[in-house]
Amino acid sequence: MIIKNGKIITWEKENRILDGQAILIQGDMIKKIAPVEDLLREYPGEELVDAKGQYVMPGNICAHTHFYGAYARGMAIPGAAPKDFTEILQKLWFRLDQALDEDSVRASAYVCILDAIKHGTTTLIDHHASPNFIDGSLDVIADVVDETGIRAALCYEVTDRGGEGRMKAGVEENMRFIRKVQSSRPGDGRLSALFGLHAGLTLSEETLDACRRANNVGAGFHIHAAEDAADEYDSLTKSGLRTIDRLQKHGILGRNSIVAHAVHVDIKEIDILAETGTWVTHQPRSNMNNAVGMAQVEGMLRSGVRLGLGNDGMSNDMWEEWKATYFVHKLWHRDSRRMPASLIEQMAVYNNAELATDLFNVGKIGKIEPGAQADLIFVDYHPYTPLTTGNLPWHIVFGFHSSMITTTMVAGKFLMQNRQLIWIDEEKIAREALGFAPDVWKRFVTISQETLEA
C-alpha cells in the first residue's frame, strides 16, 4: 500500500518530521518514502491509504509487561492491605498467578493485547507466570499473539516458591518454547522468546546455575532485579553479594538479557549493568503503586546503561508511562529540572527500538525508513503551537493522548483502522474474560484462606 497525506514522524536517530511525503509498504516492510506522485507512477497497482493529515509514526514499544496481571483489576485482597513490597507479592501476585488456568491465561493475553492495539503499542515484551498451568502456557499466549497480529516476546518466570517440580517445569517450558521459536519463527517474525526468571529473592543459587546450564541456545534472560530493597538484602543473605553482582556471577547478565526495575542498585551495580550491556527497564507507574522508590534513571543513562521503558502490567498506554516518568522524577528529587522529556524519548523510543530490533531479528523496528518493519500508528493531533523534532517529546508529555490514536498497524497489516478493530471482536473478548473472572477470583480467595490457615 501507499500511505499518503500524513505528517511522518520517522524516529530516526536524527528524527525528521516529513510533510508532503508518502510511505510505500510492501509485505511487512517499509519500502520507500517519496512524494506520492512519484510512488504512484513507479508503483501504479498499490492500494492508496489516506492518512487525512494525521501524524504517522512508529508504534510504541513496551519493554516489560505482564499479561496475566489483567485479572488483578478491581480485585479485593482479603485481610489487611499489604504494608510493603514483600507483602504485595505474597498477598496479591503469588496468589493470583496460582489462580490462573488455561482459559484465564488465554483471556488475559487477549484483553492486554487488545488494550495495546487501541493504545498504539505494537510491540510487547511479556513476563508470564501461572504455576498451576505451566506446560504449554507460552503456546497459548503465542496463539493469541499470532491471531491478533501484535508483535511480542514471551517467557515463563522460573521460581523456587512452588517447589523443585514446578521450578523444573518452568525451565522446560522456557527451553521448549525458545527452541520452537528459534526453529520455526511463527507469526512472520512477530514472535520472540526469552528465558524468564522471577527475581533473585525467589531463586536459589542452585536454581540460577541450573537455568544458566539449561539455556544453551543463546537466548537472553528476563528477570526482575532490585525492585525493592528486600531483593538486595535477600541476595546478600544468600550469597554475600548484591543482586546484580549475584546475577553476574551466575551468568544471567549480558547484551540479550533484560533486568526489570533496578531501583535499589548501587554505583558498582550500575557499572556492571553498563559493562555487560544488559538491558534495564523502568516502570514508574508500577514503582509508584508499590511504593518501592525510583531508579537512578538519569545516572544509569549517563553511565551507559541500555535503559528502556516498560509498564509492568499496567495499561498498555505507553504515553501514560512517558507522563509518569516525566513528573514523578521531578517530585522524587524535588527538582523541576530533573528528567527532561528528551531523556524519556531516548528510553521509550530509541532504546526500546534497539531492544525490539535485537529481539525479533526482522530488520529495524521503531523507525520509519526503508527496510524497517511497518509497525505504524496514526495520531489525530492538532497542535496549536509549533511542533518540531526538538520539542516533540514535550508535545507527547503535555499534548498527546491515546484517544488520538485512530489506526494501528503491525508488520504491514492494519489491526485497527479509523478506531475500528480489524481482527478482534472486543465485545466478545471482554465478555469471555468477564466470564472467567469470578472463578479466578474465587480460587484467589481460596488460596488466600489456605495460606492464612497454614
Side-chain angles (χ1 to χ4, degrees):
M1 72 186 74
I2 295 171
I3 299 174
K4 69 167 188 173
N5 195 23
K7 295 183 284 290
I8 302 168
I9 298 172
T10 66
W11 281 141
E12 297 163 295
K13 190 54 183 175
E14 293 300 324
N15 189 24
R16 297 184 293 162
I17 301 176
L18 306 177
D19 212 347
Q21 300 285 297
I23 304 170
L24 172 67
I25 296 171
Q26 292 186 334
D28 60 354
M29 285 191 175
I30 297 167
K31 179 75 172 179
K32 197 170 185 178
I33 302 170
V36 67
E37 295 81 6
D38 294 350
L39 293 179
L40 287 172
R41 186 169 52 252
E42 192 173 352
Y43 304 92
E46 296 289 346
E47 175 190 357
L48 200 58
V49 175
D50 189 350
K52 299 179 180 178
Q54 297 178 91
Y55 286 93
V56 179
M57 59 195 298
N60 292 317
I61 296 166
C62 175
H64 174 75
T65 193
H66 299 282
F67 295 159
Y68 77 87
Y71 278 113
R73 181 172 293 181
M75 184 179 68
I77 302 174
K83 70 178 186 297
D84 55 27
F85 179 68
T86 302
E87 282 201 359
I88 290 171
L89 290 178
Q90 293 169 346
K91 289 187 172 185
L92 174 58
W93 300 113
F94 290 174
R95 297 174 185 176
L96 176 61
D97 63 7
Q98 292 183 70
L100 299 172
D101 59 8
E102 181 174 346
D103 287 335
S104 49
V105 166
R106 181 181 294 106
S108 64
Y110 270 119
V111 296
C112 287
I113 290 172
L114 183 151
D115 181 66
I117 293 169
K118 292 174 67 176
H119 290 118
T121 301
T122 52
T123 297
L124 299 156
I125 301 175
D126 186 55
H127 196 271
H128 177 64
S130 52
N132 289 313
F133 172 55
I134 298 174
D135 186 24
S137 60
L138 296 181
D139 286 339
V140 167
I141 300 171
D143 287 345
V144 179
V145 171
D146 188 46
E147 180 183 342
T148 56
I150 204 77
R151 193 183 301 279
L154 309 180
C155 70
Y156 186 88
E157 67 168 49
V158 174
T159 176
D160 285 324
R161 63 185 175 88
E164 184 177 6
R166 285 178 173 174
M167 180 275 288
K168 289 182 176 179
V171 172
E172 179 55 34
E173 179 65 3
N174 276 308
M175 290 311 303
R176 181 196 63 77
F177 187 72
I178 289 168
R179 292 190 181 101
K180 177 179 178 179
V181 172
Q182 289 183 347
S183 63
S184 62
R185 299 304 265 177
D188 299 321
R190 290 187 292 102
L191 196 63
S192 185
L194 292 158
F195 192 115
L197 302 167
H198 173 245
L201 54 80
T202 65
L203 295 163
S204 67
E205 301 293 284
E206 294 76 17
T207 296
L208 285 171
D209 279 340
C211 290
R212 183 72 206 112
R213 289 194 303 271
N215 185 9
N216 56 8
V217 294
F221 291 94
H222 188 178
I223 184 172
H224 304 95
E227 184 173 359
D228 184 78
D231 194 16
E232 291 287 12
Y233 288 115
D234 178 85
S235 180
L236 288 165
T237 299
K238 287 176 177 173
S239 66
L241 300 171
R242 292 181 65 86
T243 299
I244 300 304
D245 302 65
R246 181 179 179 227
L247 296 180
Q248 183 187 38
K249 170 191 170 185
H250 289 283
I252 303 302
L253 306 180
R255 295 189 66 80
N256 296 324
S257 292
I258 300 170
V259 163
H261 300 294
V263 174
H264 292 273
V265 294
D266 68 7
I267 295 172
K268 178 59 179 176
E269 288 175 289
I270 291 174
D271 286 343
I272 292 170
L273 291 168
E275 290 164 3
T276 57
T278 302
W279 286 100
V280 175
T281 66
H282 183 45
Q283 290 74 221
R285 285 187 293 171
S286 170
N287 295 159
M288 287 189 285
N289 186 48
N290 291 328
V292 296
M294 284 292 130
Q296 302 173 63
V297 170
E298 291 163 292
M300 283 195 273
L301 287 170
R302 271 175 37 84
S303 298
V305 174
R306 301 198 296 170
L307 184 61
L309 193 68
N311 63 34
D312 205 30
M314 307 292 279
S315 74
N316 282 307
D317 182 349
M318 290 306 294
W319 289 337
E320 284 299 310
E321 213 69 46
W322 277 60
K323 298 171 197 290
T325 305
Y326 184 82
F327 293 118
V328 72
H329 284 272
K330 298 179 188 307
L331 178 62
W332 182 253
H333 295 287
R334 300 183 68 182
D335 185 344
S336 62
R337 297 164 294 187
R338 301 297 293 265
M339 195 52 66
S342 53
L343 283 185
I344 306 172
E345 175 188 51
Q346 180 63 48
M347 286 191 293
V349 175
Y350 297 114
N351 291 358
N352 276 10
E354 183 183 346
L355 171 58
T357 297
D358 289 349
L359 276 175
F360 292 92
N361 195 32
V362 287
K364 291 183 179 178
I365 295 173
K367 301 180 187 302
I368 296 180
E369 63 179 40
Q373 285 287 299
D375 296 1
L376 306 176
I377 57 176
F378 294 3
V379 185
D380 190 21
Y381 179 58
H382 301 277
Y384 50 81
T385 59
L387 190 157
T388 68
T389 56
N391 69 16
L392 174 59
W394 284 265
H395 270 276
I396 291 175
V397 169
F398 290 101
F400 279 37
H401 296 282
S402 60
S403 61
M404 299 171 181
I405 296 167
T406 67
T407 296
T408 302
M409 169 190 287
V410 176
K413 294 181 180 179
F414 287 115
L415 308 186
M416 180 176 73
Q417 195 168 13
N418 300 320
R419 295 191 172 91
Q420 297 297 311
L421 294 162
I422 306 298
W423 307 107
I424 300 179
D425 184 336
E426 180 177 8
E427 185 178 340
K428 178 183 176 184
I429 286 173
R431 184 172 62 250
E432 290 180 349
L434 183 59
F436 298 131
D439 286 338
V440 173
W441 286 12
K442 188 181 297 183
R443 290 193 292 269
F444 175 86
V445 171
T446 300
I447 293 166
S448 299
Q449 290 172 341
E450 291 173 348
T451 304
L452 288 172
E453 291 170 1

